[in-house]
């Protein structure tokens, strides 16, 4: 079984920073794209940032210049460095990844359980 476990959420003041981590564990042959999504109360889940297996990145317009996604393939871990946080960044942040459990398998899409980020004074 593959699991994604997020950490690093919490309460931060506007203008502050947080770093989220998401570690994949279990039966893993390879990991393709790794993504961060977020969902605020009453809103749809949205893609925040994506990093591919060749380290190509994409960001939502609302976080460009403030958030940075990175990954450590040796640790099967993806990070989201969030700077200059705003109250509108408040949401549950979810890790998402396309993972091949074995050499004979196709890639499946997995989700973490989410971590709360609250930006408030």
């Amino acid at each position: 079984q593959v699991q994604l476990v997020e950490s690093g959420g919490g309460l931060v003041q506007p203008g502050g920073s947080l770093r989220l981590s998401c570690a994949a564990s279990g039966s893993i042959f390879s990991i393709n794209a790794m993504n961060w999504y977020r969902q605020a109360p009453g809103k749809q889940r949205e893609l925040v940032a994506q990093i591919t297996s060749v380290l190509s990145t994409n960001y939502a317009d609302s976080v460009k210049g403030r958030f940075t996604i990175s990954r450590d393939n040796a640790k099967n871990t993806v990070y989201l460095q969030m700077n200059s946080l705003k109250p509108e960044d408040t949401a549950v942040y979810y890790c998402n990844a396309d993972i091949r459990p074995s050499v004979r398998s196709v890639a499946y899409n997995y989700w973490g359980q989410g971590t709360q980020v609250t930006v408030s004074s």
Side-chain angles (χ1 to χ4, degrees), residues 61-112:
D61 287 343
S62 59
V63 306
K64 281 181 182 176
R66 300 188 298 121
F67 291 10
T68 302
I69 190 170
S70 61
R71 64 191 282 175
D72 184 334
N73 289 330
K75 296 181 179 179
N76 292 331
T77 299
V78 63
Y79 305 96
L80 186 67
Q81 178 66 44
M82 304 185 295
N83 299 328
S84 302
L85 282 161
K86 304 175 181 180
E88 50 264 43
D89 295 317
T90 296
V92 178
Y93 284 70
Y94 296 92
C95 177
N96 171 268
D98 293 324
I99 299 174
R100 287 179 66 188
S102 71
V103 63
R104 293 186 179 89
S105 174
V106 298
Y108 296 96
N109 190 253
Y110 295 89
W111 289 90

Side-chain angles (χ1 to χ4, degrees), residues 23-83:
S25 63
S27 176
I28 297 172
F29 172 72
S30 66
I31 303 178
N32 300 331
M34 302 186 82
N35 313 299
W36 286 99
Y37 284 78
R38 68 185 180 188
Q39 188 166 20
K43 294 188 176 182
Q44 288 189 330
R45 192 172 296 189
E46 63 173 349
L47 178 64
V48 175
Q50 178 186 70
I51 185 166
T52 68
S53 58
V54 295
L55 307 184
S56 175
T57 59
N58 288 296
Y59 297 92
D61 287 343
S62 59
V63 306
K64 281 181 182 176
R66 300 188 298 121
F67 291 10
T68 302
I69 190 170
S70 61
R71 64 191 282 175
D72 184 334
N73 289 330
K75 296 181 179 179
N76 292 331
T77 299
V78 63
Y79 305 96
L80 186 67
Q81 178 66 44
M82 304 185 295
N83 299 328

